[in-house]
Amino acid sequence: MGFLMCKEDNGLGCLMKNSASVELDSYFPVRHQRQEDVPKTRFKPRVGKTLSPRRWNAAFSQDGQLDIAGVLRRIQRGGIHPSIKGAVWEFLLGCYDPNSTFEERNEIRQRRREQYAAWKTECKEMAPVIGSGKFITAAIITDDGQPIIETSVNGNLPDDFGGKPSDNGSADKRVIQWKRSLHQIGLDVVRTDRILVFYETEKNQAKLWDILAVYSWFDGDIGYVQGMNDICSPMVILLDDEADAFWCFERAMRRLRENFRCSTTSVGVQSQLSTLAQIIKTIDPKLHQHLEELDGGEYLFAFRMLMVLFRREFSFVDSLYLWEVMWAMEYNPNMYLLYEEPNSSCQNGSQKINNKLLKLYGKFERKNVQTGWTEQKTALAVFVVASVLETKNKRLLKEAKGLDDVVQILGELTGNMDVKKAVKGALKIHKKYLSKAKKS
Amino acid sequence: MASTGLSSSNSSSSSYDLSFKILLIGDSGVGKSSLLVTFISNSVEDLSPTIGVDFKIKLLTVGGKKLKLTIWDTAGQERFRTLTSSYYRGAQGIVLVYDVTRRETFTDLSDIWAKEVELYSTNQDCVKMLVGNKVDKESERVVSKEEGMTLAEELGSLFLECSARTRENVEQCFEELALKIMEVPSLLEEGSAVGKRNILKQKQVHHTSGGGCCS
């Protein structure tokens, strides 16, 4: 009894009217015994604000072109109704061009599904457990590429489930690295969104595992890093088809992957953290100084917020709401082309920006374009963290005498934040920052 | 999700005699966060993987002293280790955790984690505690208690086997560690310095309402 059954439900009008969170739970049911532990969900679909299934269907022309401006307006005001989140996300994340037709999109979808299947086959040849409906939680290979025999698998598998050692004995470094990450993915999958009924089944866990395993092969530069599971999990729930979920995740990772780039000296997200420091220093120098004095100038306490986009600070439903509002605000009509043809001339600068075109941008991105602030791409999420810090500004200045106090004060945010207010505050800070940065 | 929601309800401004920083390290999935949550609150639950670092604060009385323990809970994945290194700074106690049902997590402690401690720990006298977790899964055990004791001896650390799920030995783990730290004069001094500074700072705040005091 999950979300996908409800997808077929056409009597959604009543849901919109009653807009009770009880009904939200039927989309993303929470395990009975765990209902107490979950942060309260604040999101409610609201008539006239939330993008409803009816509005969504009406936003397409006969051959399938999407009125993206109208859709963005709605999402920025009140999020997306749970029954259509998956389909809308595909556009928000740039899987498809809103100007394409139904037919063109079907073609692309088909092509992508085939591509995913090909990569999955490639992975299966190296590790036959891929796609078997099972997955592993213990290492199958040592650092130097020797297979480990005693391995715990969820269920029984043939002996060579981890793949045979390579013929020449000197297995490719990339293959070893990838195989070394498979059990880590498994260890995380069994701990991902455990409160949701959806992940009670091994089948759904294996789906998440497969997608992460294939992704980390395909994006070998980044590989698998803890936290990707939190980003991928909603896609698996929202999109029925595994390949579609993969591509939605892949598009989300286009924005986020630099955060997950690990070197011997740092984790990628730290560059967002230094931007955060820069922003706070500009708009609230007193707070920045205070944090620096507490040895918190690196802003590591905000690490998790940026890495998994507030998944831990909000309930499941509310974090999806936050994501879609952020993505709508960051929407750039050239995204699809930039992703598909990175070398195309369709860069921001080369286009004449008129008012009609500006409507196709999300609020946040529009501001960037208007002020010519397109070189330095700072994610809206960084401004959201800044706005969250600002709401605690007085207490941080007054009560925090150590980094532990900072974390304690910020920890109280969990389950007590409002998506709308946080994003509104972020846009305000963004505006202030742009004007200050311009002056200096 | 619930993990941060459970952060200790004790107000950090309460008075205490000593303040210690404790670090939890070990492979992914050995139960570091679970041990911590079990220690801090009464609930035992499935937790999401730790991203980067998480803290919890616990006030407790040991040996007649009021202690404030700030416990830093780190992510286990190898790739986050660059980050972990900065957390060692100033820790008076380090808890090294392995899973008694997964041998790799045990060998990694001596092969990798103990070396990290050597490399990054700034306190020479820092007290170590080796913990074998998940003893409730006795039938799946692959690392014996004797092996644990031997490694503890090699590392010069304390040793306990415990279960975050049944709460067995969890409190003892942190209490014994705290007691041992209090026996080390240099660490005791550091801990009380923080305690005093805390009181001092509170007074300062009263008079000057803020104003940076470098730590």
Side-chain angles (χ1 to χ4, degrees), chain A residues 342-439:
Chain A
N343 299 322
S344 80
S345 60
C346 188
Q347 299 287 342
N348 290 328
S350 64
Q351 260 178 328
K352 261 200 196 138
I353 305 285
N354 55 39
N355 279 338
K356 202 181 159 200
L357 194 65
L358 273 176
K359 279 191 183 140
L360 305 177
Y361 286 80
K363 262 187 203 172
F364 175 78
E365 185 70 3
R366 192 184 304 149
K367 192 92 204 161
N368 285 330
V369 172
Q370 279 171 326
T371 46
W373 190 265
T374 46
E375 283 304 301
Q376 250 181 306
K377 280 262 184 242
T378 300
L380 174 55
V382 180
F383 290 95
V384 175
V385 178
S387 99
V388 164
L389 287 178
E390 282 303 298
T391 62
K392 294 283 170 187
N393 148 303
K394 281 204 183 100
R395 283 195 60 200
L396 287 170
L397 284 172
K398 229 180 176 174
E399 293 170 30
K401 296 175 201 74
L403 213 44
D404 45 354
D405 299 328
V406 174
V407 177
Q408 185 102 347
I409 291 166
L410 296 180
E412 288 163 22
L413 288 166
T414 301
N416 293 315
M417 275 195 293
D418 185 281
V419 167
K420 264 280 170 77
K421 279 188 196 151
V423 175
K424 215 173 155 188
L427 291 180
K428 242 176 161 173
I429 290 173
H430 178 231
K431 200 174 159 192
K432 198 171 163 186
Y433 181 64
L434 285 186
S435 74
K436 288 216 176 187
K438 226 178 184 179
K439 274 179 208 156

Side-chain angles (χ1 to χ4, degrees), chain B residues 98-194:
Chain B
Y98 66 93
D99 173 353
V100 297
T101 71
R102 282 163 55 211
R103 177 156 298 276
E104 202 189 22
T105 67
F106 180 70
T107 48
D108 278 353
L109 277 188
S110 48
D111 292 351
I112 298 162
W113 293 105
K115 285 176 188 152
E116 299 259 315
V117 174
E118 288 288 307
L119 207 60
Y120 298 115
S121 172
T122 55
N123 269 324
Q124 286 229 301
D125 305 321
C126 173
V127 179
K128 282 168 280 180
M129 163 72 87
L130 180 65
V131 172
N133 189 29
K134 307 196 186 178
V135 288
D136 53 294
K137 296 180 175 176
E138 190 53 46
S139 62
E140 294 170 45
R141 178 199 278 273
V142 293
V143 182
S144 72
K145 192 170 182 175
E146 288 68 34
E147 285 176 281
M149 284 161 78
T150 310
L151 179 60
E153 228 166 276
E154 269 172 45
L155 298 174
S157 71
L158 302 166
F159 175 65
L160 268 180
E161 284 194 333
C162 66
S163 160
R165 198 156 292 268
T166 65
R167 310 182 58 87
E168 181 187 340
N169 271 345
V170 172
E171 272 172 47
Q172 284 86 329
C173 157
F174 291 97
E175 282 175 12
E176 279 185 28
L177 182 67
L179 268 175
K180 191 78 186 173
I181 293 172
M182 287 160 68
E183 285 173 17
V184 182
S186 67
L187 299 180
L188 190 65
E189 206 174 305
E190 280 178 30
S192 64
V194 177

Side-chain angles (χ1 to χ4, degrees), chain A residues 214-239:
Chain A
V214 174
Y215 181 84
S216 61
W217 172 248
F218 141 92
D219 190 0
D221 245 14
I222 302 288
Y224 174 76
V225 180
Q226 291 191 302
M228 287 185 187
N229 56 320
D230 287 273
I231 304 295
C232 189
S233 159
M235 322 290 179
V236 178
I237 298 173
L238 294 176
L239 292 146

Side-chain angles (χ1 to χ4, degrees), chain A residues 37 180 184 187 191 193 222 224-226 263-264 293 295 303-304 311-312 401 404-405 407-408 414, chain B residues 1-2 4 8 10 12 28 47-49 54-55 57 68 70 77 79 82-83 89 104 201 212 215:
Chain A
D37 312 332
R180 288 286 297 166
Q184 180 68 62
L187 281 173
R191 296 184 286 168
D193 290 322
I222 302 288
Y224 174 76
V225 180
Q226 291 191 302
S263 73
T264 49
E293 279 161 7
D295 199 15
F303 187 95
R304 189 180 65 196
R311 280 294 317 270
R312 310 287 172 86
K401 296 175 201 74
D404 45 354
D405 299 328
V407 177
Q408 185 102 347
T414 301
Chain B
M1 269 176 220
T4 22
S8 163
N10 300 319
S12 57
S28 190
L47 299 171
S48 308
D54 208 354
F55 304 62
I57 289 160
K68 176 187 174 186
T70 304
Q77 192 184 8
R79 314 195 62 180
T82 58
L83 211 65
R89 202 165 44 215
E104 202 189 22
K201 270 196 180 178
S215 47

